Amino acid sequence: MARHADLTGRITGIGDEAAPDLAGQIAVARELGWSALELRSVDGTALADLPAPAVREAAARLHAAGLGTVCLGSRIGNWARPVTGPFEADLEELERLAAHGRVLGCRSLRVMSWTDGGLPEAEWGARAVDRMRRLARRAEELGVELLHENCAGWAGADAGRTLRMLAEVDSPALRVLFDTGNGVPYGYDGHALLERLLPHVAHVHIKDARPGARPGEAVYTLPGEGVARVADCVRLLEEHGYRGAYSLEPHLAVVPHEGRDGSDADTTGPFVRAARRLAVLPVPAAAPSPAPAPPGPPAVDAGLLLHLLHTPTAGPLETGPGAPHLLTAALRSYATAAARLGLTTVSLAAPEPGAVLGGDVPGPVRRAIAADPSFLADQPSLLLRLGPALPRERTVMFNVHLDTVAGGEPPAYDGVRFTGRGAVDAKGPAVALLAGIAAAARADPSVGRDVAVLVQAVAGEEGGALGTFGTRPLVAAGHVGRVNVFCEPTGLRHLPRATAAATALITVDGEDAIDDRPEAGHNATVLLGFLAQHLAAALDGARIPVCVAGLHTGTLHNKVHGTGRLLLNLPYADAASGAAAERALTRAFAAGLREFTARFAGLPAFARTAADAARITRLVWEKRGLPALGSQPAWGDALLARAGIGRRPDGEPAFTCDALWLDGVPDTFTTVFGPGSLDANHAHAAGEFVDRADLEAFAERVAALLTAFAADVRSGAADRPVPEPTEKAGTP
């Protein structure tokens, strides 16, 4: 029996051809088992004309239904906009849709190349190319991509014009959207056009038709029943290595450019029939012929990175409630980009509260879950996989995070350097990781066939959650590899260990006083300031690392603040060190209170604070008892060395990251590895940056690691027993 191409999980459609309202579009998508939609209008309103609150509501409803967005329909350059019309309308729509796309999790915009407006062909073409060039430059800055459709416009029906436009615009932000059926009404051979445009295709529309009674007319049909050679087009795309979505635009009841909006007809029935026909369309399977790996470093998708940098992903533990938090949308965009490279989405979900809460979960996480039922739901984690599910010994796992700390200036890219919050920690490494995986699969077909690659794109890495609702549930569910790489800035040398941290909160709960009688109240500022200095000196003297993280009492100048908080972070490399640090801090805290009382009891302004210090001051542990990643087996160092990845010397300090959750997982090697430096690249600070060259070097080494691992699998090395590490950190 002939094998057919498997398009499972890759079929979607333009929602307003199924139903005018979003509820109807979502219902059809769920009925068909789709994971995404293409959006063009909602309730008859073009997407670009929707106000921001309506887009936020639409995104929330789509995400709650488990749906992403693969493309945004625009009117830029379409059949209703002549090249002689106001260009400002196109620029404004680009800006609005770029902003909407950050909320919806989509950076792809469908465009055309304008009707002639009565101009001769030469001037029409010159103006169209000039406009597209200006649009593409702005799209580059915004991190979006323009997908030119073979439809109305100067370059719509002619492959030569399309290629000329692509060459003269010369922008990575301009690619091709191929529609299988548009050649029928426009009178050209769509399959022949596709053959010439194949390397530039980033998105596909599916429709089929037969010629109508008059030129320019078409009778639209179910896929496979017309003359558009839909199956042949799909086969050609698959053979060339296209791994993106197939988006249904059947025109059976809705044909916008003909004024048919479906208001007087059943739209859902024909759309569903077309979708089901497409799902079983007999497309002969053929082994794809991967394009040869390009010379030089793997290409990092600058547009995707800029889109992610523009998307606010600082979590509520960082920003507090009410701030924009679009992590789900960012993960959707990342998953769409990964899908084009052949990775499939295994899951995009948040754990249930019961699976998160435990004695070692940081206090801020426990309080946030108790206060806001949506806290976890708004911070899901994404699990991607290249290839089939394989045993651990044939799997490599990479862990990245798209959440960031709060703050930062607007993103920018000057052709050499990316700036913006998350550039180096860790949106930049996340984007470069995809480039490295794709390069490995091109260089060695066994990557993604005999070797599986997992990507955990997790929530809760930043903000003090320490992976307790992101990485840890995925690891607990077994989504790990024989080799596990946590992508954090390490200067392109791997670090096979990770510290953990305990967080102490010291609070003063006293009484305020006015500035005219400061002795009547408790002076939390003086008390906590004294304790901060005392604890810093005592712990440093005991050679215990400590970060005096923050002290706050108040902001008014004309009162004594009687309440306040002091935070201290205690990093440690193993359980014994962590426990010793906790004991030392507890002793130093008690000694500090005694010393404060002795020193300030004789000062009238502070006598009451001194007398009551022990009663009004408390030490609680916001975070304690977490594991630390200890020494790893030597075979992992050898594997990375074969891939050209050096190891950071043992004398250089480690740092805290989610790699700690791999501590104690048997038969694995875990390390931290990535481009740039936390301090030199200003991670978490103003001016955070990463150079494109560093991202490309990281992608190269990811590819080298995967191909080296695949070579081990072929030689049988991956099946050999894993030596135990000579030294292992315990788990509290």
Side-chain angles (χ1 to χ4, degrees):
M1 186 171 65
R3 292 189 308 112
H4 293 150
D6 182 9
L7 304 182
T8 302
R10 296 169 61 194
I11 296 176
T12 181
I14 299 180
D16 61 17
E17 295 227 359
D21 60 302
L22 187 62
Q25 296 176 29
I26 290 173
V28 169
R30 298 188 73 171
E31 177 184 349
L32 294 168
W34 289 352
S35 61
L37 276 171
E38 182 167 341
L39 295 183
R40 184 169 60 193
S41 68
V42 175
D43 292 325
T45 300
L47 188 63
D49 294 341
L50 291 176
V55 176
R56 290 194 293 270
E57 180 187 356
R61 293 168 67 184
L62 287 164
H63 295 160
L67 295 171
T69 308
V70 295
C71 187
L72 306 180
S74 86
R75 295 162 300 191
I76 295 173
N78 79 351
W79 42 267
R81 292 187 178 177
V83 76
T84 53
F87 185 46
E88 291 74 16
D90 295 311
L91 290 170
E92 290 170 4
E93 186 152 348
L94 171 61
E95 297 285 341
R96 289 196 299 271
L97 286 178
H100 290 351
R102 293 172 207 138
V103 178
L104 292 162
C106 179
R107 56 180 291 257
S108 302
L109 312 183
R110 189 279 310 272
V111 302
M112 298 177 200
S113 50
W114 300 274
T115 57
D116 61 18
L119 297 177
E121 191 277 330
E123 187 174 354
W124 176 24
R127 289 197 187 190
V129 169
D130 178 66
R131 286 184 171 205
M132 194 65 74
R133 183 183 295 111
R134 286 190 277 166
L135 283 170
R137 295 297 175 262
R138 181 58 180 151
E140 290 176 19
E141 295 170 350
L142 294 169
V144 300
E145 62 178 5
L146 309 176
L147 303 181
H148 179 269
E149 183 177 356
N150 54 312
C151 190
W154 176 76
D158 186 294
R161 290 183 183 180
T162 303
L163 292 171
R164 174 186 155 190
M165 183 178 68
L166 290 168
E168 293 189 16
V169 171
D170 189 24
S171 170
L174 178 62
R175 300 187 71 189
V176 168
L177 187 164
F178 175 71
D179 188 301
T180 61
N182 280 347
V184 178
Y186 284 98
Y188 64 87
D189 184 337
H191 187 271
L193 180 136
L194 174 62
E195 288 180 315
R196 297 184 64 187
L197 299 182
L198 266 174
H200 307 283
V201 173
H203 189 53
V204 175
H205 282 174
I206 297 291
K207 68 165 63 76
D208 205 349
R210 296 189 300 270
R214 290 183 293 274
E217 290 186 351
V219 177
Y220 295 99
T221 70
L222 297 178
E225 294 185 0
V227 299
R229 299 179 64 185
V230 173
D232 290 337
C233 289
V234 173
R235 180 180 183 181
L236 187 60
L237 287 157
E238 292 296 296
E239 287 177 339
H240 192 268
Y242 176 76
R243 294 296 176 265
Y246 291 97
S247 186
L248 187 67
E249 187 190 21
H251 277 5
L252 295 174
V254 177
V255 189
H257 62 276
E258 295 179 2
R260 293 166 53 193
D261 61 5
S263 58
D264 59 350
D266 170 29
T267 59
T268 300
F271 187 89
V272 169
R273 287 195 295 275
R276 288 180 171 153
R277 178 65 59 86
L278 176 59
V280 297
L281 189 69
V283 179
S289 302
V300 172
D301 190 338
L304 174 62
L305 178 50
L306 276 170
H307 169 75
L308 294 175
L309 292 175
H310 276 288
T311 305
T313 56
L317 291 180
E318 281 283 333
T319 63
H325 175 61
L326 302 178
L327 179 62
T328 302
L331 291 172
R332 289 281 182 191
S333 295
Y334 191 71
T336 298
R340 289 185 181 178
L341 302 175
L343 285 83
T344 58
T345 296
V346 179
S347 65
L348 176 57
E352 294 296 324
V356 172
L357 295 173
D360 57 356
V361 173
V365 175
R366 292 196 300 271
R367 292 191 293 273
I369 292 174
D372 182 3
S374 67
F375 174 80
L376 289 178
D378 290 342
Q379 299 182 89
S381 292
L382 171 68
L383 183 67
L384 302 167
R385 186 178 67 235
L386 179 70
L390 293 173
R392 180 181 298 176
E393 61 267 20
R394 281 171 164 70
T395 300
V396 178
M397 186 275 281
F398 295 91
N399 178 286
V400 296
H401 64 91
L402 301 185
D403 65 335
T404 66
V405 300
E409 55 280 338
Y413 174 52
D414 62 6
V416 175
R417 175 168 292 181
F418 297 90
T419 55
R421 188 53 46 86
V424 74
D425 186 21
K427 292 177 178 179
V431 173
L433 171 64
L434 295 182
I437 293 171
R442 288 194 303 267
D444 186 344
S446 70
V447 176
R449 185 190 65 204
D450 306 322
V451 168
V453 183
L454 289 177
V455 176
Q456 298 179 0
V458 299
E461 202 282 338
E462 301 287 11
L466 268 181
T468 48
F469 57 81
T471 297
R472 179 165 68 169
L474 291 174
V475 170
H479 299 301
V480 300
R482 187 171 192 251
V483 174
N484 304 280
V485 180
F486 285 74
C487 303
E488 299 278 349
T490 62
L492 294 176
R493 296 172 299 164
H494 82 97
L495 177 66
R497 60 190 189 279
T499 60
T503 300
L505 170 64
I506 297 174
T507 61
V508 173
D509 187 15
E511 296 180 11
D512 296 345
I514 63 172
D515 58 339
D516 294 317
R517 293 195 59 214
E519 73 282 354
H522 297 106
N523 197 313
T525 307
V526 173
L527 174 53
L528 289 174
F530 177 87
L531 288 175
Q533 296 181 68
H534 173 85
L535 294 172
L539 293 173
D540 187 72
R543 298 185 177 277
I544 294 175
V546 60
C547 169
V548 182
L551 189 159
H552 180 76
T553 55
T555 60
L556 297 179
H557 69 281
N558 57 353
K559 67 178 289 186
V560 168
H561 296 278
T563 60
R565 296 159 48 95
L566 170 65
L567 282 167
L568 301 102
N569 231 35
L570 303 171
Y572 54 89
D574 54 66
S577 298
E582 291 178 21
R583 291 193 297 270
L585 177 60
T586 301
R587 291 193 300 269
F589 169 70
L593 287 175
R594 291 193 298 270
E595 186 173 335
F596 178 85
T597 297
R599 182 174 299 186
F600 287 86
L603 301 177
F606 306 107
R608 186 182 180 197
T609 307
D612 295 341
R615 179 178 62 82
I616 63 175
T617 310
R618 294 182 60 224
L619 165 64
V620 296
W621 292 97
E622 290 282 83
K623 182 170 69 227
R624 68 191 302 187
L626 297 175
L629 181 71
S631 299
Q632 296 296 297
W635 63 261
D637 282 326
L639 170 64
L640 270 71
R642 290 197 299 276
I645 301 171
R647 172 182 170 134
R648 279 179 62 163
D650 290 342
E652 291 189 15
F655 54 85
T656 301
C657 70
D658 283 7
L660 57 86
W661 295 113
L662 267 292
D663 179 69
V665 178
D667 300 337
T668 62
F669 174 87
T670 297
T671 194
V672 186
F673 175 61
S677 162
L678 288 170
D679 50 358
N681 289 72
H682 307 307
H684 298 196
E688 181 175 348
F689 74 92
V690 70
D691 289 338
R692 180 169 189 147
D694 283 343
L695 295 179
E696 290 173 340
F698 173 63
E700 275 191 299
R701 286 162 175 77
V702 166
L705 172 59
L706 288 172
T707 54
F709 184 84
D712 278 3
V713 168
R714 286 193 296 273
S715 70
D719 298 320
R720 296 169 194 156
V722 180
E724 286 297 318
T726 56
E727 183 180 326
K728 189 72 175 176
T731 302

